[in-house]
Amino acid sequence: MKAGSKLKSAVDDTEVMVIKAPAGGTVSCGGAPMGDDKPAKKAEIDPAHADGTKMGKRYTDAAGTIELLCIKPGKGSLALDGVALLLKDAKPLPSSD
Amino acid sequence: MDISLLLKMAADAEPDRVALTCDGRHWTYGELWNAATGAAAAIADSGATHVALLDTGSEAAPIALFGAALAGVPYCPLNYRLADADLGALTARIAPAYIVGDTARVAKLAADAGHTALDRAAFVAAAEAAADPEREANEGAEDNGGIAVQLFTSGTTAAPKAAILAHANLVSYILGTVEFGAADADEAALVSVPPYHIAGIAALLSSIYAMRRIVLLPAFSPEDWIALCTSEACTNAFVVPTMLSRVVETLDAEAAAGLSRLRAIAYGGGRMPTELIARALDLFPDTGFTNAYGLTETSSTVALLGPQEHRDAQVSADPAVKARLGSVGKPLPTIELEIRNEDGRVCAAGTPGEIYVRGDQVSGQYRERSALDADGWFPTRDAGYLDAEGYLFLSGRADDVIVRGGENISPGEIEDVLVAHPGISDVAAVGVPSAEWGEVVAVAIACTPDAPDDDAIRALVRERLRSSRVPERIVRVDALPYNEMGKLLRREVRLLFERPA
């Protein structure tokens, strides 16, 4: 996994762009590992990982080792090695362009 | 990471929402995306190594920008105001290019260079015809070094440099400064800066990612700006200081009422006179003003002074807070900024030096070389200082500093004193060679009928500053030379003093 690559969910339509790649570990969505391609058959979503993602939001862990940009939202929530990622708080800036 | 993703996300989220209005025609995010995919196919078929735009702003600009990204070649908008010889030299440096716009000029300047030239209508028609709606945004952008945009600098001292911005620079800038889809459905941004300027490119990327409708004004005049702002109910606008000055001069009470929807005006690209911004704040009491400081090489804005800071400065009795009306604000959270002296040491607050910046959005790369130091810092060649609370003040280009007998003099401090005189409408201070001092101060002034005489001008500077700042030479002109972005052309001011006194 490297910055700029896309990850797809195995349980729903979720897709993320890797903004900052972690040193290692498994990124999952809805409890199932994400991959470069969608599986032929969707896996079952884990109800414990079903808080959903929002389009255009960024997700990170507490230590800031990973950052993912949601480019297609879905019902599954994102996790790194089973630990749920957090919505990254963006301090709004006034438009300067 | 690739800038094509920014448009793709908007097109996926709300394909039927209007993205752009130009010459009365609306373009949705879906239509722009489809056209960009078709443009990519046409560009790839042509075998071009660059995509150039030789045209005023229109829907062709975003279609070419994102089409070039999808095709994996740099987008290189050109300044159509350049003289033939200069423009011909630039097109030779990007051959063979896919050039959109003035085909007659391409035929005249570079008929044999292997370019593919299409006028705006033909390009847009070809792009729409070849659209591939199923296409995804690019994933990697490693081809061609990942260059999204190449912009030729204005080349004040030598041949124009080709500044390059990688996809990673521009995507970092947008993700760091714009919240996806944050614009309300009624928001519309009036864009009147030319497409070959970094502000013109940043305007497209920022507004598309925020999903704020872009209203294009291809050729600026204050009357057209006010009329379009009113008829399209624009809520946001970006202007350079000269544009704001001309709008303010043209505005009467009726026209001002028509601009009541304008919630935000951002400005940058040149020195904003304090009197002008103070007057604009009075004229638009409900509008938020943002001053943006940035360069081509930094993917646009690196520091900004926000709306509340403007209003606080406007009413404050504290001289330090009041002075911030002349500041460009604080660095973005994603940017590191330092002021360094000639020895490369970091300056204390209040001490002027050269502005250095570092961050993912900072390219600092030219085709020919990198301007970054070993630690990734970019020397902006702008001079300035930070105040005690970290607000950045600009004092001109580092190259413009006047060195008189070893003393560094910022032209801005002299200009600020003189322009405050009611008899002086505009002023530029430059250094001219002196056998005794190395350089001395010379000023060119544009006067009103109540202009002070030379002795009064010298007395004013002596009284307010100190004797080293007193201009040795003074010339009077009808108007000072500016480029179309409102930047003072100091090299032309210096020419005024080449004749002996």
Side-chain angles (χ1 to χ4, degrees), chain B residues 128-174:
Chain B
E128 289 189 300
D132 173 13
E134 299 307 309
R135 177 157 184 172
E136 292 293 309
N138 285 358
E139 257 183 77
E142 279 74 26
D143 299 343
N144 278 301
I147 300 170
V149 171
Q150 175 174 327
L151 290 175
F152 288 107
T153 61
S154 49
T156 48
T157 49
K161 285 180 288 191
I164 53 181
L165 297 171
H167 285 280
N169 298 134
L170 290 167
V171 171
S172 294
Y173 173 62
I174 296 302

Side-chain angles (χ1 to χ4, degrees), chain B residues 171-353:
Chain B
V171 171
S172 294
Y173 173 62
I174 296 302
L175 296 185
T177 57
V178 183
E179 184 71 9
F180 176 75
D184 293 335
D186 72 329
E187 286 188 33
L190 182 54
V191 176
S192 48
V193 286
Y196 55 81
H197 193 276
I198 183 61
I201 290 170
L204 296 179
L205 297 176
S206 292
S207 289
I208 283 171
Y209 197 64
M211 297 185 76
R212 181 179 297 116
R213 180 169 65 103
I214 297 163
V215 176
L216 279 180
L217 176 60
F220 176 84
S221 79
E223 294 80 12
D224 289 348
W225 190 93
I226 291 166
L228 194 58
C229 199
T230 305
S231 65
E232 291 293 339
C234 291
T235 55
N236 295 58
F238 178 88
V239 290
V240 297
T242 29
M243 290 176 182
L244 185 62
S245 167
R246 295 180 63 197
V247 167
V248 165
E249 279 166 19
T250 309
L251 210 57
D252 54 28
E254 191 193 342
L259 301 181
S260 59
R261 309 280 287 274
L262 204 50
R263 286 177 227 160
I265 296 178
Y267 62 92
R271 186 180 179 79
M272 173 66 84
T274 315
E275 298 74 23
L276 175 57
I277 187 61
R279 198 163 153 219
L281 285 164
D282 288 338
L283 273 172
F284 298 98
D286 302 318
T287 303
F289 283 83
T290 298
N291 186 0
Y293 165 63
L295 298 93
T296 301
E297 294 90 334
T298 62
S299 308
S300 193
T301 309
V302 291
L304 57 82
L305 186 77
Q308 192 56 48
E309 293 161 316
H310 275 82
R311 296 295 170 189
D312 290 347
Q314 187 189 19
V315 300
S316 179
D318 178 344
V321 177
K322 207 168 184 57
R324 284 180 199 147
L325 216 44
S327 149
V328 294
K330 290 186 172 180
L332 301 179
T334 45
I335 281 288
E336 295 175 273
L337 187 147
E338 285 181 359
I339 310 292
R340 298 189 192 170
N341 68 15
E342 279 164 17
D343 304 326
R345 292 205 188 88
V346 176
C347 298
T351 307

Side-chain angles (χ1 to χ4, degrees), chain A residues 1-2 7 16 18 20-34 48-49 53 59-68 76-87:
Chain A
M1 189 190 338
K2 60 180 180 160
L7 296 175
V16 297
V18 180
K20 182 179 179 186
T26 302
V27 176
S28 62
C29 176
M34 299 184 83
H49 293 272
T53 51
Y59 295 86
T60 185
D61 62 356
T65 61
I66 182 174
E67 188 172 324
L68 304 174
S77 43
L78 303 168
L80 176 64
D81 290 335
V83 180
L85 297 184
L86 313 161
L87 188 65

Side-chain angles (χ1 to χ4, degrees), chain A residues 12-90:
Chain A
D12 60 13
D13 293 333
T14 308
E15 286 183 24
V16 297
M17 180 70 77
V18 180
I19 306 293
K20 182 179 179 186
T26 302
V27 176
S28 62
C29 176
M34 299 184 83
D36 296 340
D37 296 297
K38 272 186 204 172
K41 189 171 173 293
K42 274 187 189 174
E44 284 294 314
I45 189 166
D46 177 347
H49 293 272
D51 290 334
T53 51
K54 288 202 181 76
M55 181 71 171
K57 296 292 180 192
R58 287 182 285 169
Y59 295 86
T60 185
D61 62 356
T65 61
I66 182 174
E67 188 172 324
L68 304 174
L69 172 69
C70 173
I71 59 173
K72 285 206 174 92
K75 292 199 175 86
S77 43
L78 303 168
L80 176 64
D81 290 335
V83 180
L85 297 184
L86 313 161
L87 188 65
K88 187 173 173 177
D89 261 337

